[in-house]
Amino acid sequence: MFKNKKILIGIIIIICIVVIIGILCIININSKKRIAANILEYINDSIVENNDNITKEYIDNNISKVDKESATQMITLYEEYQDNQIEKLYNEFKEQILKYNYSFDVDSLNNIENIQSEQLKNIIEKIRNNGYKFKKVWGDIIIVKDYSQFTEYTEYVSEDKKIYLNIQNNYETQLYLYKDITSLLNTIIETENSIKKIKDTLIKEDAIEVYGNMLLLVIEGDEIYVPKAYGEEDNIQIISEIQTCISENANTVTANILNSYVETLKQDNYEYRDNGEQLTSDIRNNISSYFK
């Protein structure tokens, strides 16, 4: 009898421990949900109000407090918040540049010790410390999101968002650092393969848009890559590299689009005319249709 009583007490204690652990887990889950809801609401309100409340430090300090789904939403909202802030930050920056008649290149903006104006130093530091960087495009210095900093968050977000952030970082690397058309074409193929792994519809659409922008670097050209006039000898070499990419990646979306582009150029004696512009327009406006 005494032995049975001890067993019964032991069972009751175990049940109580299990119940307490269960209650604590529920409390912890609910607490995380409340924290996540408050964080997401705070970021969303900051977007609506267009205020300066959200900093990279705020994201760094809070992203580990929420689950992957909420962390993914956090980063998506943070991207939107940054987009909204760029024009305001750029105007503040240009105001100080004009006020003090400073002339800078990108390297000097990353080394501000010699700048006399504290106001200008502050705005430069504000830009650099909040997920942006300076880039020179067409002779002007602009502010862009620094996706190399976003890769710090890949361990917290969903697998689909992780793929997207890596795609953005690869695009940024190609856009601002490399001048090798073969490297760009390889990145485009890698991006296509990565997009096929994304299940979330909205994230996939965003990734496809980045993919389209990469393709347009090849097709439209810019100051780094491909000029529109294909009559020169070096541009014929670029066409050769594009054709190599097509042959090595048959039956891909990229190869099909680039093949249409090369055939269009052939019709126009390798000059970028109306047919080329029409194809560019189709890619820009209907890039998602190629992935159906």
Side-chain angles (χ1 to χ4, degrees):
M1 179 72 179
F2 181 73
K3 183 178 180 182
N4 290 338
K5 189 174 181 181
K6 286 178 67 177
I7 293 172
L8 180 62
I9 292 172
I11 292 171
I12 291 172
I13 291 172
I14 291 171
I15 291 171
C16 288
I17 291 172
V18 171
V19 170
I20 290 171
I21 291 173
I23 291 172
L24 290 175
C25 287
I26 292 171
I27 291 172
N28 183 52
I29 291 170
N30 289 336
S31 176
K32 274 199 164 187
K33 285 183 176 179
R34 283 195 299 272
I35 291 171
N38 289 337
I39 291 171
L40 295 174
E41 182 181 10
Y42 183 63
I43 299 174
N44 195 60
D45 287 346
S46 296
I47 292 172
V48 173
E49 296 169 10
N50 196 27
N51 61 39
D52 298 330
N53 292 345
I54 307 303
T55 62
K56 185 176 183 299
E57 183 179 11
Y58 176 81
I59 301 297
D60 291 347
N61 291 340
N62 287 284
I63 196 165
S64 61
K65 298 176 183 178
V66 301
D67 61 17
K68 281 187 179 293
E69 182 181 357
S70 298
T72 300
Q73 293 175 343
M74 272 182 70
I75 296 306
T76 300
L77 285 173
Y78 183 44
E79 288 178 278
E80 183 179 349
Y81 177 82
Q82 281 196 311
D83 286 336
N84 291 350
Q85 291 291 303
I86 283 179
E87 184 177 358
K88 182 164 65 173
L89 289 170
Y90 180 75
N91 288 339
E92 289 180 36
F93 170 70
K94 292 296 284 188
E95 180 183 353
Q96 293 301 315
I97 292 292
L98 293 172
K99 183 176 180 180
Y100 294 97
N101 196 29
Y102 280 108
S103 177
F104 293 110
D105 56 26
V106 172
D107 290 337
S108 63
L109 291 172
N110 293 324
N111 183 16
I112 62 173
E113 286 74 14
N114 296 326
I115 296 175
Q116 301 298 317
S117 167
E118 289 300 319
Q119 287 179 301
L120 182 56
K121 280 185 180 179
N122 290 339
I123 184 62
I124 292 172
E125 288 180 338
K126 181 180 178 182
I127 290 166
R128 289 191 329 197
N129 294 338
N130 283 290
Y132 304 96
K133 61 184 176 183
F134 295 98
K135 288 298 171 187
K136 188 173 183 179
V137 177
W138 297 108
D140 191 18
I141 291 177
I142 64 170
I143 299 168
V144 296
K145 285 184 287 190
D146 185 357
Y147 272 97
S148 66
Q149 294 189 42
F150 276 83
T151 56
E152 299 171 15
Y153 306 128
T154 53
E155 65 178 290
Y156 301 105
V157 298
S158 70
E159 187 62 27
D160 285 350
K161 191 67 176 180
K162 177 180 178 179
I163 292 171
Y164 168 76
L165 292 176
N166 285 329
I167 286 173
Q168 277 282 19
N169 188 45
N170 290 339
Y171 169 56
E172 184 180 89
T173 300
Q174 288 292 341
L175 183 60
Y176 298 119
L177 294 182
Y178 295 155
K179 299 182 181 181
D180 182 351
I181 191 72
T182 302
S183 175
L184 173 60
L185 291 168
N186 289 338
T187 300
I188 291 171
I189 293 294
E190 289 171 9
T191 300
E192 178 182 339
N193 292 332
S194 296
I195 287 171
K196 292 174 182 176
K197 299 175 185 176
I198 299 175
K199 298 179 177 63
D200 184 284
T201 303
L202 293 178
I203 294 176
K204 190 168 188 173
E205 285 295 320
D206 289 341
I208 289 172
E209 182 179 348
V210 180
Y211 167 85
N213 290 335
M214 288 190 202
L215 265 180
L216 289 174
L217 284 178
V218 177
I219 292 172
E220 263 194 320
D222 73 349
E223 65 172 331
I224 299 176
Y225 288 108
V226 190
K228 288 186 177 181
Y230 275 91
E232 300 174 12
E233 183 178 342
D234 57 335
N235 294 329
I236 298 298
Q237 176 60 35
I238 289 172
I239 291 295
S240 175
E241 294 186 43
I242 291 174
Q243 288 173 320
T244 299
C245 176
I246 293 169
S247 63
E248 291 178 351
N249 299 280
N251 301 319
T252 61
V253 172
T254 304
N256 291 337
I257 294 174
L258 291 177
N259 187 61
S260 296
Y261 180 55
V262 172
E263 291 303 313
T264 299
L265 285 175
K266 284 181 181 178
Q267 294 172 17
D268 293 334
N269 295 319
Y270 293 99
E271 293 184 9
Y272 190 90
R273 298 178 183 171
D274 290 345
N275 290 329
E277 290 182 359
Q278 181 59 53
L279 180 62
T280 298
S281 178
D282 289 344
I283 292 169
R284 179 177 286 108
N285 297 322
N286 304 303
I287 188 64
S288 294
S289 66
Y290 291 94
F291 284 85
K292 301 299 184 185

